[in-house]
PDB file of all heavy atoms in Angstrom:
ATOM      1  N   MET A  29     112.346 187.726  58.408  1.00  0.00           N
ATOM      2  CA  MET A  29     113.575 187.176  58.970  1.00  0.00           C
ATOM      3  C   MET A  29     113.327 185.678  59.384  1.00  0.00           C
ATOM      4  O   MET A  29     112.415 185.359  60.109  1.00  0.00           O
ATOM      5  CB  MET A  29     114.036 187.982  60.158  1.00  0.00           C
ATOM      6  CG  MET A  29     115.259 187.488  60.879  1.00  0.00           C
ATOM      7  SD  MET A  29     115.784 188.674  62.198  1.00  0.00           S
ATOM      8  CE  MET A  29     117.370 189.011  61.512  1.00  0.00           C
ATOM      9  N   GLY A  30     114.118 184.854  58.769  1.00  0.00           N
ATOM     10  CA  GLY A  30     114.002 183.486  59.156  1.00  0.00           C
ATOM     11  C   GLY A  30     114.921 182.872  60.241  1.00  0.00           C
ATOM     12  O   GLY A  30     115.651 183.666  60.878  1.00  0.00           O
ATOM     13  N   LYS A  31     114.803 181.623  60.500  1.00  0.00           N
ATOM     14  CA  LYS A  31     115.583 181.080  61.614  1.00  0.00           C
ATOM     15  C   LYS A  31     117.098 181.025  61.313  1.00  0.00           C
ATOM     16  O   LYS A  31     117.880 181.140  62.232  1.00  0.00           O
ATOM     17  CB  LYS A  31     115.100 179.651  61.776  1.00  0.00           C
ATOM     18  CG  LYS A  31     113.852 179.292  62.378  1.00  0.00           C
ATOM     19  CD  LYS A  31     113.884 177.833  62.799  1.00  0.00           C
ATOM     20  CE  LYS A  31     112.476 177.304  62.690  1.00  0.00           C
ATOM     21  NZ  LYS A  31     112.567 175.828  63.058  1.00  0.00           N
ATOM     22  N   PHE A  32     117.411 180.924  60.076  1.00  0.00           N
ATOM     23  CA  PHE A  32     118.886 180.914  59.716  1.00  0.00           C
ATOM     24  C   PHE A  32     119.551 182.156  59.228  1.00  0.00           C
ATOM     25  O   PHE A  32     120.774 182.034  58.930  1.00  0.00           O
ATOM     26  CB  PHE A  32     119.057 179.780  58.598  1.00  0.00           C
ATOM     27  CG  PHE A  32     118.642 178.434  59.061  1.00  0.00           C
ATOM     28  CD1 PHE A  32     117.500 177.829  58.618  1.00  0.00           C
ATOM     29  CD2 PHE A  32     119.519 177.646  59.863  1.00  0.00           C
ATOM     30  CE1 PHE A  32     117.189 176.451  58.982  1.00  0.00           C
ATOM     31  CE2 PHE A  32     119.151 176.463  60.257  1.00  0.00           C
ATOM     32  CZ  PHE A  32     117.975 175.774  59.831  1.00  0.00           C
ATOM     33  N   ASP A  33     118.771 183.232  59.193  1.00  0.00           N
ATOM     34  CA  ASP A  33     119.474 184.483  58.800  1.00  0.00           C
ATOM     35  C   ASP A  33     120.653 184.922  59.781  1.00  0.00           C
ATOM     36  O   ASP A  33     120.478 184.874  60.927  1.00  0.00           O
ATOM     37  CB  ASP A  33     118.369 185.650  58.885  1.00  0.00           C
ATOM     38  CG  ASP A  33     117.329 185.709  57.801  1.00  0.00           C
ATOM     39  OD1 ASP A  33     117.677 184.961  56.773  1.00  0.00           O
ATOM     40  OD2 ASP A  33     116.354 186.219  57.949  1.00  0.00           O
ATOM     41  N   GLY A  34     121.777 185.055  59.030  1.00  0.00           N
ATOM     42  CA  GLY A  34     122.997 185.405  59.728  1.00  0.00           C
ATOM     43  C   GLY A  34     123.798 184.374  60.595  1.00  0.00           C
ATOM     44  O   GLY A  34     124.780 184.494  61.130  1.00  0.00           O
ATOM     45  N   LYS A  35     123.169 183.146  60.451  1.00  0.00           N
ATOM     46  CA  LYS A  35     123.792 182.041  61.159  1.00  0.00           C
ATOM     47  C   LYS A  35     124.850 181.317  60.325  1.00  0.00           C
ATOM     48  O   LYS A  35     124.778 181.478  59.090  1.00  0.00           O
ATOM     49  CB  LYS A  35     122.863 180.857  61.497  1.00  0.00           C
ATOM     50  CG  LYS A  35     121.635 181.364  62.312  1.00  0.00           C
ATOM     51  CD  LYS A  35     121.946 181.509  63.690  1.00  0.00           C
ATOM     52  CE  LYS A  35     120.750 181.869  64.558  1.00  0.00           C
ATOM     53  NZ  LYS A  35     120.912 181.990  65.855  1.00  0.00           N
ATOM     54  N   LYS A  36     125.955 180.717  60.892  1.00  0.00           N
ATOM     55  CA  LYS A  36     126.988 180.006  60.243  1.00  0.00           C
ATOM     56  C   LYS A  36     126.523 178.536  60.270  1.00  0.00           C
ATOM     57  O   LYS A  36     126.244 177.994  61.327  1.00  0.00           O
ATOM     58  CB  LYS A  36     128.250 180.364  60.884  1.00  0.00           C
ATOM     59  CG  LYS A  36     128.682 181.794  60.796  1.00  0.00           C
ATOM     60  CD  LYS A  36     130.037 181.966  61.185  1.00  0.00           C
ATOM     61  CE  LYS A  36     130.459 183.445  61.109  1.00  0.00           C
ATOM     62  NZ  LYS A  36     130.151 184.190  59.935  1.00  0.00           N
ATOM     63  N   VAL A  37     126.704 177.865  59.166  1.00  0.00           N
ATOM     64  CA  VAL A  37     126.321 176.460  59.054  1.00  0.00           C
ATOM     65  C   VAL A  37     127.522 175.549  58.507  1.00  0.00           C
ATOM     66  O   VAL A  37     128.154 175.985  57.651  1.00  0.00           O
ATOM     67  CB  VAL A  37     125.123 176.304  58.057  1.00  0.00           C
ATOM     68  CG1 VAL A  37     124.694 174.897  57.886  1.00  0.00           C
ATOM     69  CG2 VAL A  37     123.988 177.290  58.492  1.00  0.00           C
ATOM     70  N   VAL A  38     127.660 174.379  59.198  1.00  0.00           N
ATOM     71  CA  VAL A  38     128.607 173.333  58.688  1.00  0.00           C
ATOM     72  C   VAL A  38     127.812 172.205  58.097  1.00  0.00           C
ATOM     73  O   VAL A  38     126.810 171.743  58.879  1.00  0.00           O
ATOM     74  CB  VAL A  38     129.466 172.805  59.894  1.00  0.00           C
ATOM     75  CG1 VAL A  38     130.287 171.707  59.492  1.00  0.00           C
ATOM     76  CG2 VAL A  38     130.317 174.051  60.486  1.00  0.00           C
ATOM     77  N   ILE A  39     128.027 171.711  57.008  1.00  0.00           N
ATOM     78  CA  ILE A  39     127.256 170.692  56.226  1.00  0.00           C
ATOM     79  C   ILE A  39     128.164 169.496  56.062  1.00  0.00           C
ATOM     80  O   ILE A  39     129.334 169.605  55.528  1.00  0.00           O
ATOM     81  CB  ILE A  39     126.733 171.288  55.036  1.00  0.00           C
ATOM     82  CG1 ILE A  39     125.737 172.314  55.204  1.00  0.00           C
ATOM     83  CG2 ILE A  39     126.163 170.076  54.217  1.00  0.00           C
ATOM     84  CD1 ILE A  39     125.422 173.177  53.920  1.00  0.00           C
ATOM     85  N   ILE A  40     127.681 168.454  56.512  1.00  0.00           N
ATOM     86  CA  ILE A  40     128.389 167.106  56.189  1.00  0.00           C
ATOM     87  C   ILE A  40     127.351 166.182  55.579  1.00  0.00           C
ATOM     88  O   ILE A  40     126.502 165.729  56.208  1.00  0.00           O
ATOM     89  CB  ILE A  40     128.993 166.441  57.589  1.00  0.00           C
ATOM     90  CG1 ILE A  40     129.957 167.427  58.168  1.00  0.00           C
ATOM     91  CG2 ILE A  40     129.713 165.171  57.227  1.00  0.00           C
ATOM     92  CD1 ILE A  40     130.424 166.970  59.503  1.00  0.00           C
ATOM     93  N   GLY A  41     127.547 166.013  54.336  1.00  0.00           N
ATOM     94  CA  GLY A  41     126.704 165.089  53.569  1.00  0.00           C
ATOM     95  C   GLY A  41     127.329 163.691  53.539  1.00  0.00           C
ATOM     96  O   GLY A  41     128.299 163.385  54.059  1.00  0.00           O
ATOM     97  N   ASP A  42     126.376 162.781  52.984  1.00  0.00           N
ATOM     98  CA  ASP A  42     126.859 161.438  52.922  1.00  0.00           C
ATOM     99  C   ASP A  42     126.828 160.942  51.506  1.00  0.00           C
ATOM    100  O   ASP A  42     125.940 161.234  50.660  1.00  0.00           O
ATOM    101  CB  ASP A  42     125.712 160.523  53.801  1.00  0.00           C
ATOM    102  CG  ASP A  42     125.969 159.059  53.722  1.00  0.00           C
ATOM    103  OD1 ASP A  42     127.193 158.722  53.643  1.00  0.00           O
ATOM    104  OD2 ASP A  42     125.088 158.329  53.860  1.00  0.00           O
ATOM    105  N   ARG A  43     127.795 160.158  51.174  1.00  0.00           N
ATOM    106  CA  ARG A  43     127.980 159.829  49.701  1.00  0.00           C
ATOM    107  C   ARG A  43     126.867 158.887  49.305  1.00  0.00           C
ATOM    108  O   ARG A  43     126.414 158.992  48.044  1.00  0.00           O
ATOM    109  CB  ARG A  43     129.386 158.951  49.671  1.00  0.00           C
ATOM    110  CG  ARG A  43     129.623 158.486  48.301  1.00  0.00           C
ATOM    111  CD  ARG A  43     130.801 157.509  48.265  1.00  0.00           C
ATOM    112  NE  ARG A  43     130.301 156.349  48.967  1.00  0.00           N
ATOM    113  CZ  ARG A  43     130.678 155.068  48.652  1.00  0.00           C
ATOM    114  NH1 ARG A  43     131.533 154.802  47.736  1.00  0.00           N
ATOM    115  NH2 ARG A  43     130.208 154.049  49.295  1.00  0.00           N
ATOM    116  N   ASP A  44     126.345 157.918  50.127  1.00  0.00           N
ATOM    117  CA  ASP A  44     125.270 157.177  49.702  1.00  0.00           C
ATOM    118  C   ASP A  44     123.873 157.726  49.929  1.00  0.00           C
ATOM    119  O   ASP A  44     122.847 157.215  49.721  1.00  0.00           O
ATOM    120  CB  ASP A  44     125.321 155.800  50.367  1.00  0.00           C
ATOM    121  CG  ASP A  44     126.536 154.938  49.929  1.00  0.00           C
ATOM    122  OD1 ASP A  44     127.025 155.177  48.816  1.00  0.00           O
ATOM    123  OD2 ASP A  44     127.173 154.275  50.789  1.00  0.00           O
ATOM    124  N   GLY A  45     123.896 158.940  50.637  1.00  0.00           N
ATOM    125  CA  GLY A  45     122.554 159.645  50.954  1.00  0.00           C
ATOM    126  C   GLY A  45     122.533 160.942  50.182  1.00  0.00           C
ATOM    127  O   GLY A  45     122.519 161.020  48.896  1.00  0.00           O
ATOM    128  N   ILE A  46     122.463 162.047  50.892  1.00  0.00           N
ATOM    129  CA  ILE A  46     122.358 163.346  50.282  1.00  0.00           C
ATOM    130  C   ILE A  46     123.823 163.977  50.320  1.00  0.00           C
ATOM    131  O   ILE A  46     124.315 164.348  51.466  1.00  0.00           O
ATOM    132  CB  ILE A  46     121.413 164.202  51.025  1.00  0.00           C
ATOM    133  CG1 ILE A  46     119.958 163.565  50.932  1.00  0.00           C
ATOM    134  CG2 ILE A  46     121.310 165.491  50.332  1.00  0.00           C
ATOM    135  CD1 ILE A  46     118.960 164.237  51.792  1.00  0.00           C
ATOM    136  N   PRO A  47     124.315 164.317  49.168  1.00  0.00           N
ATOM    137  CA  PRO A  47     125.812 164.940  49.171  1.00  0.00           C
ATOM    138  C   PRO A  47     125.672 166.409  49.758  1.00  0.00           C
ATOM    139  O   PRO A  47     124.705 167.075  49.530  1.00  0.00           O
ATOM    140  CB  PRO A  47     126.146 164.864  47.683  1.00  0.00           C
ATOM    141  CG  PRO A  47     124.875 164.716  46.997  1.00  0.00           C
ATOM    142  CD  PRO A  47     123.904 164.054  47.900  1.00  0.00           C
ATOM    143  N   GLY A  48     126.919 166.716  50.261  1.00  0.00           N
ATOM    144  CA  GLY A  48     126.967 168.040  50.893  1.00  0.00           C
ATOM    145  C   GLY A  48     126.620 169.206  49.956  1.00  0.00           C
ATOM    146  O   GLY A  48     125.779 170.105  50.326  1.00  0.00           O
ATOM    147  N   PRO A  49     127.055 169.233  48.632  1.00  0.00           N
ATOM    148  CA  PRO A  49     126.599 170.380  47.609  1.00  0.00           C
ATOM    149  C   PRO A  49     125.093 170.414  47.502  1.00  0.00           C
ATOM    150  O   PRO A  49     124.761 171.661  47.418  1.00  0.00           O
ATOM    151  CB  PRO A  49     127.422 170.012  46.367  1.00  0.00           C
ATOM    152  CG  PRO A  49     128.574 169.134  46.826  1.00  0.00           C
ATOM    153  CD  PRO A  49     128.082 168.404  48.059  1.00  0.00           C
ATOM    154  N   ALA A  50     124.409 169.341  47.593  1.00  0.00           N
ATOM    155  CA  ALA A  50     123.010 169.424  47.428  1.00  0.00           C
ATOM    156  C   ALA A  50     122.322 170.097  48.618  1.00  0.00           C
ATOM    157  O   ALA A  50     121.471 170.919  48.525  1.00  0.00           O
ATOM    158  CB  ALA A  50     122.369 168.132  47.168  1.00  0.00           C
ATOM    159  N   ILE A  51     122.787 169.867  49.834  1.00  0.00           N
ATOM    160  CA  ILE A  51     122.308 170.342  51.088  1.00  0.00           C
ATOM    161  C   ILE A  51     122.733 171.809  51.066  1.00  0.00           C
ATOM    162  O   ILE A  51     121.870 172.674  51.507  1.00  0.00           O
ATOM    163  CB  ILE A  51     122.839 169.788  52.261  1.00  0.00           C
ATOM    164  CG1 ILE A  51     122.569 168.247  52.198  1.00  0.00           C
ATOM    165  CG2 ILE A  51     122.422 170.473  53.566  1.00  0.00           C
ATOM    166  CD1 ILE A  51     123.249 167.383  53.357  1.00  0.00           C
ATOM    167  N   GLU A  52     123.897 172.142  50.669  1.00  0.00           N
ATOM    168  CA  GLU A  52     124.444 173.572  50.652  1.00  0.00           C
ATOM    169  C   GLU A  52     123.550 174.449  49.776  1.00  0.00           C
ATOM    170  O   GLU A  52     123.215 175.619  50.162  1.00  0.00           O
ATOM    171  CB  GLU A  52     125.872 173.570  50.003  1.00  0.00           C
ATOM    172  CG  GLU A  52     126.480 175.027  50.028  1.00  0.00           C
ATOM    173  CD  GLU A  52     127.943 174.989  49.621  1.00  0.00           C
ATOM    174  OE1 GLU A  52     128.451 173.937  49.440  1.00  0.00           O
ATOM    175  OE2 GLU A  52     128.582 176.086  49.456  1.00  0.00           O
ATOM    176  N   GLU A  53     123.108 173.920  48.587  1.00  0.00           N
ATOM    177  CA  GLU A  53     122.267 174.748  47.630  1.00  0.00           C
ATOM    178  C   GLU A  53     120.925 175.037  48.309  1.00  0.00           C
ATOM    179  O   GLU A  53     120.341 176.199  48.305  1.00  0.00           O
ATOM    180  CB  GLU A  53     122.066 174.148  46.387  1.00  0.00           C
ATOM    181  CG  GLU A  53     123.231 174.058  45.437  1.00  0.00           C
ATOM    182  CD  GLU A  53     123.726 175.399  45.089  1.00  0.00           C
ATOM    183  OE1 GLU A  53     122.913 176.320  44.764  1.00  0.00           O
ATOM    184  OE2 GLU A  53     124.987 175.644  45.245  1.00  0.00           O
ATOM    185  N   CYS A  54     120.391 174.098  49.140  1.00  0.00           N
ATOM    186  CA  CYS A  54     119.124 174.379  49.839  1.00  0.00           C
ATOM    187  C   CYS A  54     119.301 175.408  51.005  1.00  0.00           C
ATOM    188  O   CYS A  54     118.469 176.178  51.243  1.00  0.00           O
ATOM    189  CB  CYS A  54     118.575 172.967  50.427  1.00  0.00           C
ATOM    190  SG  CYS A  54     118.093 171.819  49.089  1.00  0.00           S
ATOM    191  N   ILE A  55     120.402 175.217  51.662  1.00  0.00           N
ATOM    192  CA  ILE A  55     120.668 176.112  52.888  1.00  0.00           C
ATOM    193  C   ILE A  55     120.879 177.561  52.424  1.00  0.00           C
ATOM    194  O   ILE A  55     120.493 178.429  53.162  1.00  0.00           O
ATOM    195  CB  ILE A  55     121.870 175.570  53.737  1.00  0.00           C
ATOM    196  CG1 ILE A  55     121.275 174.215  54.376  1.00  0.00           C
ATOM    197  CG2 ILE A  55     122.152 176.471  54.764  1.00  0.00           C
ATOM    198  CD1 ILE A  55     120.275 174.400  55.414  1.00  0.00           C
ATOM    199  N   LYS A  56     121.495 177.624  51.377  1.00  0.00           N
ATOM    200  CA  LYS A  56     121.860 179.031  50.809  1.00  0.00           C
ATOM    201  C   LYS A  56     120.595 179.968  50.713  1.00  0.00           C
ATOM    202  O   LYS A  56     120.685 181.223  50.842  1.00  0.00           O
ATOM    203  CB  LYS A  56     122.546 179.071  49.445  1.00  0.00           C
ATOM    204  CG  LYS A  56     124.118 178.758  49.654  1.00  0.00           C
ATOM    205  CD  LYS A  56     124.714 178.649  48.163  1.00  0.00           C
ATOM    206  CE  LYS A  56     126.153 178.390  48.328  1.00  0.00           C
ATOM    207  NZ  LYS A  56     126.696 178.229  46.927  1.00  0.00           N
ATOM    208  N   THR A  57     119.445 179.273  50.362  1.00  0.00           N
ATOM    209  CA  THR A  57     118.180 179.944  50.072  1.00  0.00           C
ATOM    210  C   THR A  57     117.596 180.511  51.393  1.00  0.00           C
ATOM    211  O   THR A  57     116.690 181.268  51.414  1.00  0.00           O
ATOM    212  CB  THR A  57     117.189 179.158  49.383  1.00  0.00           C
ATOM    213  OG1 THR A  57     116.893 178.009  50.226  1.00  0.00           O
ATOM    214  CG2 THR A  57     117.682 178.643  48.080  1.00  0.00           C
ATOM    215  N   THR A  58     118.112 180.101  52.571  1.00  0.00           N
ATOM    216  CA  THR A  58     117.554 180.382  53.909  1.00  0.00           C
ATOM    217  C   THR A  58     118.209 181.646  54.495  1.00  0.00           C
ATOM    218  O   THR A  58     117.851 182.201  55.478  1.00  0.00           O
ATOM    219  CB  THR A  58     117.659 179.247  54.859  1.00  0.00           C
ATOM    220  OG1 THR A  58     119.120 179.048  55.166  1.00  0.00           O
ATOM    221  CG2 THR A  58     117.100 178.011  54.392  1.00  0.00           C
ATOM    222  N   GLY A  59     119.353 182.116  53.911  1.00  0.00           N
ATOM    223  CA  GLY A  59     120.047 183.254  54.363  1.00  0.00           C
ATOM    224  C   GLY A  59     121.208 182.846  55.273  1.00  0.00           C
ATOM    225  O   GLY A  59     121.910 183.862  55.861  1.00  0.00           O
ATOM    226  N   ALA A  60     121.446 181.649  55.456  1.00  0.00           N
ATOM    227  CA  ALA A  60     122.575 181.216  56.289  1.00  0.00           C
ATOM    228  C   ALA A  60     123.934 181.355  55.498  1.00  0.00           C
ATOM    229  O   ALA A  60     123.945 181.306  54.347  1.00  0.00           O
ATOM    230  CB  ALA A  60     122.308 179.738  56.688  1.00  0.00           C
ATOM    231  N   ASP A  61     125.004 181.419  56.213  1.00  0.00           N
ATOM    232  CA  ASP A  61     126.259 181.510  55.794  1.00  0.00           C
ATOM    233  C   ASP A  61     126.936 180.124  55.888  1.00  0.00           C
ATOM    234  O   ASP A  61     127.230 179.696  56.981  1.00  0.00           O
ATOM    235  CB  ASP A  61     127.140 182.498  56.552  1.00  0.00           C
ATOM    236  CG  ASP A  61     128.614 182.801  55.936  1.00  0.00           C
ATOM    237  OD1 ASP A  61     128.745 182.452  54.666  1.00  0.00           O
ATOM    238  OD2 ASP A  61     129.453 183.113  56.731  1.00  0.00           O
ATOM    239  N   VAL A  62     127.190 179.479  54.778  1.00  0.00           N
ATOM    240  CA  VAL A  62     127.858 178.077  54.829  1.00  0.00           C
ATOM    241  C   VAL A  62     129.336 178.237  54.970  1.00  0.00           C
ATOM    242  O   VAL A  62     130.016 178.732  54.041  1.00  0.00           O
ATOM    243  CB  VAL A  62     127.502 177.239  53.476  1.00  0.00           C
ATOM    244  CG1 VAL A  62     128.298 175.855  53.490  1.00  0.00           C
ATOM    245  CG2 VAL A  62     125.937 177.117  53.385  1.00  0.00           C
ATOM    246  N   VAL A  63     129.845 177.803  56.043  1.00  0.00           N
ATOM    247  CA  VAL A  63     131.266 177.984  56.325  1.00  0.00           C
ATOM    248  C   VAL A  63     132.140 176.709  55.999  1.00  0.00           C
ATOM    249  O   VAL A  63     133.357 176.895  55.668  1.00  0.00           O
ATOM    250  CB  VAL A  63     131.613 178.437  57.799  1.00  0.00           C
ATOM    251  CG1 VAL A  63     131.094 179.713  58.065  1.00  0.00           C
ATOM    252  CG2 VAL A  63     131.097 177.350  58.704  1.00  0.00           C
ATOM    253  N   PHE A  64     131.508 175.541  55.863  1.00  0.00           N
ATOM    254  CA  PHE A  64     132.060 174.320  55.499  1.00  0.00           C
ATOM    255  C   PHE A  64     131.036 173.404  54.995  1.00  0.00           C
ATOM    256  O   PHE A  64     130.073 173.214  55.451  1.00  0.00           O
ATOM    257  CB  PHE A  64     132.871 173.721  56.696  1.00  0.00           C
ATOM    258  CG  PHE A  64     133.531 172.381  56.338  1.00  0.00           C
ATOM    259  CD1 PHE A  64     134.776 172.379  55.712  1.00  0.00           C
ATOM    260  CD2 PHE A  64     132.931 171.240  56.713  1.00  0.00           C
ATOM    261  CE1 PHE A  64     135.318 171.235  55.517  1.00  0.00           C
ATOM    262  CE2 PHE A  64     133.536 170.113  56.461  1.00  0.00           C
ATOM    263  CZ  PHE A  64     134.720 169.949  55.788  1.00  0.00           C
ATOM    264  N   SER A  65     131.354 172.851  53.819  1.00  0.00           N
ATOM    265  CA  SER A  65     130.648 171.809  53.165  1.00  0.00           C
ATOM    266  C   SER A  65     131.399 170.625  52.595  1.00  0.00           C
ATOM    267  O   SER A  65     132.393 170.861  51.924  1.00  0.00           O
ATOM    268  CB  SER A  65     129.719 172.396  52.061  1.00  0.00           C
ATOM    269  OG  SER A  65     128.819 171.375  51.387  1.00  0.00           O
ATOM    270  N   SER A  66     130.979 169.476  53.128  1.00  0.00           N
ATOM    271  CA  SER A  66     131.793 168.166  52.711  1.00  0.00           C
ATOM    272  C   SER A  66     130.843 167.025  52.511  1.00  0.00           C
ATOM    273  O   SER A  66     129.759 167.043  52.969  1.00  0.00           O
ATOM    274  CB  SER A  66     132.864 167.856  53.566  1.00  0.00           C
ATOM    275  OG  SER A  66     133.604 166.761  53.289  1.00  0.00           O
ATOM    276  N   THR A  67     131.334 166.082  51.519  1.00  0.00           N
ATOM    277  CA  THR A  67     130.567 164.819  51.407  1.00  0.00           C
ATOM    278  C   THR A  67     131.556 163.725  51.900  1.00  0.00           C
ATOM    279  O   THR A  67     132.657 163.678  51.532  1.00  0.00           O
ATOM    280  CB  THR A  67     130.240 164.656  49.853  1.00  0.00           C
ATOM    281  OG1 THR A  67     129.393 165.672  49.663  1.00  0.00           O
ATOM    282  CG2 THR A  67     129.505 163.336  49.815  1.00  0.00           C
ATOM    283  N   GLU A  68     131.129 162.938  52.895  1.00  0.00           N
ATOM    284  CA  GLU A  68     131.938 161.872  53.528  1.00  0.00           C
ATOM    285  C   GLU A  68     131.431 160.552  53.267  1.00  0.00           C
ATOM    286  O   GLU A  68     130.212 160.453  52.834  1.00  0.00           O
ATOM    287  CB  GLU A  68     132.111 162.092  54.956  1.00  0.00           C
ATOM    288  CG  GLU A  68     132.751 163.477  55.370  1.00  0.00           C
ATOM    289  CD  GLU A  68     134.058 163.609  54.972  1.00  0.00           C
ATOM    290  OE1 GLU A  68     134.763 162.599  54.912  1.00  0.00           O
ATOM    291  OE2 GLU A  68     134.392 164.809  54.668  1.00  0.00           O
ATOM    292  N   CYS A  69     132.149 159.594  53.382  1.00  0.00           N
ATOM    293  CA  CYS A  69     131.836 158.185  53.252  1.00  0.00           C
ATOM    294  C   CYS A  69     131.813 157.443  54.572  1.00  0.00           C
ATOM    295  O   CYS A  69     132.860 157.366  55.266  1.00  0.00           O
ATOM    296  CB  CYS A  69     132.719 157.479  52.280  1.00  0.00           C
ATOM    297  SG  CYS A  69     132.262 155.689  52.100  1.00  0.00           S
ATOM    298  N   PHE A  70     130.651 157.190  55.156  1.00  0.00           N
ATOM    299  CA  PHE A  70     130.497 156.529  56.342  1.00  0.00           C
ATOM    300  C   PHE A  70     130.223 155.109  56.251  1.00  0.00           C
ATOM    301  O   PHE A  70     129.309 154.629  55.666  1.00  0.00           O
ATOM    302  CB  PHE A  70     129.265 157.208  57.172  1.00  0.00           C
ATOM    303  CG  PHE A  70     129.494 158.641  57.554  1.00  0.00           C
ATOM    304  CD1 PHE A  70     128.800 159.497  56.654  1.00  0.00           C
ATOM    305  CD2 PHE A  70     130.331 159.170  58.487  1.00  0.00           C
ATOM    306  CE1 PHE A  70     128.965 160.979  56.914  1.00  0.00           C
ATOM    307  CE2 PHE A  70     130.429 160.518  58.733  1.00  0.00           C
ATOM    308  CZ  PHE A  70     129.870 161.346  57.910  1.00  0.00           C
ATOM    309  N   VAL A  71     131.262 154.196  56.683  1.00  0.00           N
ATOM    310  CA  VAL A  71     131.239 152.829  56.488  1.00  0.00           C
ATOM    311  C   VAL A  71     131.012 152.165  57.871  1.00  0.00           C
ATOM    312  O   VAL A  71     131.443 152.517  58.804  1.00  0.00           O
ATOM    313  CB  VAL A  71     132.415 152.301  55.850  1.00  0.00           C
ATOM    314  CG1 VAL A  71     132.476 150.872  55.739  1.00  0.00           C
ATOM    315  CG2 VAL A  71     132.637 152.976  54.480  1.00  0.00           C
TER     316      VAL A  71
END
């Protein structure tokens, strides 16, 4: 059992950094439930 098993996760990625879908794919392997994933532009 890992730290993220059964946890709900909100992901906000950065357009010029790591996009949300890339983070989401990594988090899915931990057993967490991704409830929201987005890529934003922070200026």
Side-chain angles (χ1 to χ4, degrees):
M29 182 173 235
K31 285 193 215 180
F32 294 105
D33 285 341
K35 303 285 183 175
K36 297 192 183 305
V37 178
V38 173
I39 298 169
I40 301 174
D42 183 24
R43 182 190 66 144
D44 295 328
I46 303 172
I51 300 169
E52 183 176 355
E53 288 301 314
C54 295
I55 292 294
K56 282 182 181 178
T57 64
T58 67
D61 180 26
V62 178
V63 294
F64 179 78
S65 177
S66 179
T67 299
E68 301 295 329
C69 178
F70 297 101
V71 180

